Amino acid sequence: MNVGLLSYHFSDNYGALYQAYALRKWFLGRGIGAEFINYAPPYVDEGGPFDCPWRPSLWRKNATILYMKLAYLQGRLFGNHELLADFDRFRAEHLGICSPRLKTAKALRPYMAAYDMLVCGSDQIWNPSIQRGLDPVYFLDISGAEKARKVAYAPSFGRSAIEQAHLAEIGRLVIGLDAISVRETSGLDILESAGLPRDRAQVVPDPTILLGRFDELLARNVEPDDSIFCYALRTATWIREVAEMTATHVGGPLLTPRSSRQRWRDIGKGVVPGPVEWLQMLARAQLVVSNSFHGITLSVVLNRPFIAVALPGKRVDLNARARHLLYQIGLADRIMDVPDIKTVRQLIATPVNWEAVNAMLAAIRAEAEAYLDAEIEAARAQVK
């Protein structure tokens, strides 16, 4: 068996790296060869090409592309080069990335014959972008891959609803998959709106929950300390107040990894950990405060007390991912919608019943493993 994986493994983002790491590690643990197909299209992080910039009707799309190009250039010129090197080193050492970057769907074709099974997921690979829309590659609609079994494992739309203009294309693309799963219940709703019968897909957990163990990366430097680990993405609104309230109430240093796209002053003490050190800091902390899906998910997996902070305003739809997970494991009350010192104190004082949570995670994990094991057997049967 040889499995080809397609995800956002190339993004300089801790969560993106860990969901990728976990999915590949799970397959390797089953004794199955699994590697990332190094598809890294420029539109994801770099904006991609402009689309008829002379047409006024496309101004919003091209403005987004320009902003992404400038942000990417700024990061490469003036960003933390040591951190970027740490991300690259993690990809080489822990994701096994050593092949050349492939920027287009056409460039993938020569590699397809090598795989018995293709897996797309996880991360927000099914979230239509302003600059590109939907990418058929992330639905495994790839020339030359006709003989491989095509499986979606926990891709996310990243939000609770998708524009009507994309639904017909989604319906057409998912029909080509042999097995379909999504990461959130809202994903089932979107697929149903796109014309897919609801029983054709199922919900499975993020790969970090599927794997459940990170012993290889946490073998040392994880003695508990008194730090508050604040992981903020997209905005500092609300999370700053919650993190500062928490640190004031329980004491201990407030540490916040800086985002590569951070546009706000540090919350507490800004730090710049590499991917492995980032996970170790989270595992050591006495309490985690995060508005990031993977910040919350990894706190749960590593059994660290946490406070989840909802994203505000226009980003409110992005909270569906965290809410779905916390609802599944009986911790929906640990997400805060607005900063409130009374709720902060209550959450700090309320211990998490990790024994009960871990039992629920084990049940969720067992369903996900059954889904993948069935597809592995089906792929083996196709090869024979």
Side-chain angles (χ1 to χ4, degrees), residues 350-369:
T350 305
V352 176
N353 183 344
W354 290 117
E355 184 178 354
V357 168
N358 290 337
M360 286 183 272
L361 289 176
I364 293 169
R365 185 177 301 119
E367 291 183 6
E369 291 184 330

Side-chain angles (χ1 to χ4, degrees), residues 185-226:
T185 304
S186 58
L188 291 182
D189 298 333
I190 291 170
L191 290 176
E192 190 172 29
S193 298
L196 188 77
R198 202 172 182 88
D199 61 0
R200 276 277 283 117
Q202 70 182 77
V203 176
V204 295
D206 185 81
T208 55
I209 294 174
L210 172 72
L211 181 64
R213 300 181 65 88
F214 292 85
D215 298 353
E216 175 185 316
L217 305 177
L218 298 176
R220 57 184 186 276
N221 297 328
V222 290
E223 288 297 318
D225 61 24
D226 62 347

Side-chain angles (χ1 to χ4, degrees), residues 31-108:
I32 295 170
E35 63 184 21
F36 283 97
I37 300 167
N38 199 16
Y39 177 61
Y43 72 86
V44 177
D45 289 327
E46 302 163 44
F50 290 108
D51 185 2
C52 303
W54 57 88
R55 291 176 57 183
S57 61
L58 297 175
W59 72 268
R60 184 167 175 261
K61 177 179 182 178
N62 285 307
T64 298
I65 292 171
L66 177 61
Y67 172 80
M68 292 182 68
K69 286 181 179 294
L70 293 175
Y72 180 80
L73 183 62
Q74 180 186 40
R76 292 291 147 172
L77 291 177
F78 307 110
N80 189 305
H81 294 152
E82 184 177 347
L83 179 60
L84 294 176
D86 281 340
F87 279 119
D88 286 339
R89 188 158 41 249
F90 185 92
R91 278 185 279 267
E93 294 178 2
H94 299 290
L95 301 187
I97 306 297
C98 57
S99 57
R101 176 184 178 183
L102 307 173
K103 296 184 179 182
T104 66
K106 184 178 180 180
L108 299 179

Side-chain angles (χ1 to χ4, degrees), residues 321-349:
R321 300 171 294 156
R323 289 189 193 280
H324 171 78
L325 168 65
L326 297 180
Y327 177 80
Q328 277 187 304
I329 58 176
L331 296 178
D333 59 344
R334 297 199 72 87
I335 187 164
M336 292 187 62
D337 289 300
V338 291
D340 170 44
I341 185 60
K342 181 180 178 181
T343 305
V344 168
R345 287 173 176 166
Q346 181 181 348
L347 290 175
I348 291 170

Side-chain angles (χ1 to χ4, degrees), residues 91-318:
R91 278 185 279 267
E93 294 178 2
H94 299 290
L95 301 187
I97 306 297
C98 57
S99 57
R101 176 184 178 183
L102 307 173
K103 296 184 179 182
T104 66
K106 184 178 180 180
L108 299 179
R109 179 165 189 164
Y111 299 87
M112 291 301 99
Y115 303 110
D116 305 303
M117 186 163 90
L118 294 172
V119 179
C120 57
S122 175
D123 224 334
Q124 297 181 46
I125 58 172
W126 287 1
N127 190 350
S129 65
I130 292 173
Q131 65 275 24
R132 174 65 172 78
L134 295 162
D135 188 341
V137 168
Y138 289 116
F139 291 82
L140 306 180
D141 185 11
I142 308 168
S143 178
E146 291 76 17
K147 293 183 179 180
R149 189 161 185 85
K150 299 178 180 180
V151 177
Y153 183 82
S156 175
F157 290 101
R159 40 192 161 139
S160 56
I162 295 292
E163 294 85 351
Q164 187 69 32
H166 295 299
L167 290 178
E169 187 178 6
I170 289 171
R172 177 183 64 79
L173 289 169
V174 296
I175 288 298
L177 295 166
D178 295 299
I180 306 167
S181 67
V182 288
R183 201 173 63 186
E184 297 92 23
T185 304
S186 58
L188 291 182
D189 298 333
I190 291 170
L191 290 176
E192 190 172 29
S193 298
L196 188 77
R198 202 172 182 88
D199 61 0
R200 276 277 283 117
Q202 70 182 77
V203 176
V204 295
D206 185 81
T208 55
I209 294 174
L210 172 72
L211 181 64
R213 300 181 65 88
F214 292 85
D215 298 353
E216 175 185 316
L217 305 177
L218 298 176
R220 57 184 186 276
N221 297 328
V222 290
E223 288 297 318
D225 61 24
D226 62 347
S227 64
I228 308 299
F229 185 76
C230 175
Y231 184 48
L233 281 185
R234 295 185 175 87
T235 179
T237 301
W238 292 354
I239 192 171
R240 179 186 301 280
E241 290 88 341
V242 173
E244 290 173 349
M245 289 175 190
T246 301
T248 299
H249 189 68
V250 303
L254 175 57
L255 306 177
T256 306
R258 292 186 179 128
S259 166
S260 60
R261 297 181 179 178
Q262 182 171 314
R263 298 293 182 268
W264 56 86
R265 62 184 173 84
D266 290 335
I267 302 172
K269 179 182 178 182
V271 293
V272 191
V276 175
E277 185 186 0
W278 179 90
L279 189 70
Q280 292 172 346
M281 289 179 69
L282 187 150
R284 286 197 302 264
Q286 66 165 320
L287 198 143
V288 177
V289 179
S290 186
N291 62 4
S292 153
F293 172 76
H294 282 108
I296 296 164
T297 301
L298 285 163
S299 298
V300 170
V301 170
L302 299 178
N303 288 183
R304 301 315 305 147
F306 70 95
I307 297 176
V309 182
L311 291 163
K314 295 179 180 179
R315 299 177 176 89
V316 70
D317 274 357
L318 300 176

